[in-house]
Amino acid sequence: MQMQQVHNLTPPELNQFVTLHYLILKESFLNNFGKNFLAISYQTIVKSPNNICLILKDQGQIIGFLVATLDGDKFNHEVISQNFFPLSKEILKASFKKPQLLIKIILWKLKKPSVKKIKPEVQFILVDPKYQGQGFGRKLIHELEQHLKRMKVPQYRVGTKADNHASNTFYQKLGFKLSYTDNFFGDN
């Protein structure tokens, strides 16, 4: 297997990127709103100078990605404010099928945000299950750390569900420590 280097996501790769997110991160809250919701969101995310979107490809196929932001407290606000009407349309369509989604979003928006001391944050990291256990997640994290080092960003945080044992084990092996828990869309 000949691996290409990790590189920044480019607009022509966006559709394949969104498809991988949608197919692999089935339990992701955002997937409830559909592939178009993800496409609209990622179009904004990839264009923002505050975000880092890295992909790993094998033979032309994206097999992993990492999305990070320099300011985790503003990440969602930026995406929503720039796409309010198109995202609202997708949210309403999904909420007709699952009304509890709309309730979760309203509760999330009403919740007083907790301001974090460390702003840079990994939003998503994914490696296709067929390629897991081969060091590709570690490679994506390493490349992120190189980006942040060049930008003189000394620290970053990651978020994961408390019950996601595979993800928590991955981060612990890389030396991360649990520093706090938070509730996001009803999940810890």
Side-chain angles (χ1 to χ4, degrees), residues 95-107:
S95 295
F96 280 117
K97 296 175 188 165
K98 297 180 185 177
Q100 70 274 21
L101 295 175
L102 191 55
I103 293 166
K104 279 187 168 188
I105 288 179
I106 291 168
L107 292 174

Side-chain angles (χ1 to χ4, degrees), residues 22-159:
Y22 189 73
L23 293 175
I24 304 297
L25 294 178
K26 292 181 175 111
E27 300 301 316
S28 166
F29 181 73
L30 300 179
N31 274 15
N32 286 297
F33 304 108
K35 212 170 156 184
N36 196 41
F37 179 92
L38 292 173
I40 294 165
S41 299
Y42 278 126
Q43 286 171 0
T44 300
I45 292 166
V46 76
K47 290 177 189 174
S48 173
N50 293 321
N51 301 324
I52 300 166
C53 301
L54 302 173
I55 61 170
L56 182 62
K57 292 176 90 172
D58 178 47
Q59 298 177 10
Q61 295 298 308
I62 298 173
I63 62 166
F65 67 76
L66 181 146
V67 177
T69 182
L70 297 177
D71 192 343
D73 292 337
K74 295 180 181 175
F75 181 79
N76 291 312
H77 176 75
E78 182 179 78
V79 173
I80 293 166
S81 65
Q82 291 183 31
N83 301 290
F84 182 77
F85 290 111
L87 290 177
S88 295
K89 178 182 165 189
E90 299 302 320
I91 289 168
L92 288 173
K93 284 192 318 190
S95 295
F96 280 117
K97 296 175 188 165
K98 297 180 185 177
Q100 70 274 21
L101 295 175
L102 191 55
I103 293 166
K104 279 187 168 188
I105 288 179
I106 291 168
L107 292 174
W108 170 68
K109 284 306 289 175
L110 292 174
K111 180 183 164 198
K112 185 178 183 219
S114 58
V115 178
K116 314 296 188 304
K117 202 164 75 172
I118 300 170
K119 302 288 186 191
E121 179 177 28
V122 173
Q123 295 291 318
F124 299 101
I125 183 170
L126 173 147
V127 174
D128 186 317
K130 295 179 285 202
Y131 295 89
Q132 289 178 4
Q134 300 178 45
F136 298 133
R138 182 181 300 271
K139 188 172 186 171
L140 286 163
I141 291 287
H142 176 74
E143 188 64 31
L144 170 67
E145 289 174 348
Q146 295 305 307
H147 269 59
L148 295 175
K149 189 176 184 179
R150 286 190 296 273
M151 299 167 88
K152 301 198 183 333
V153 176
Q155 296 179 321
Y156 65 99
R157 65 183 193 241
V158 298

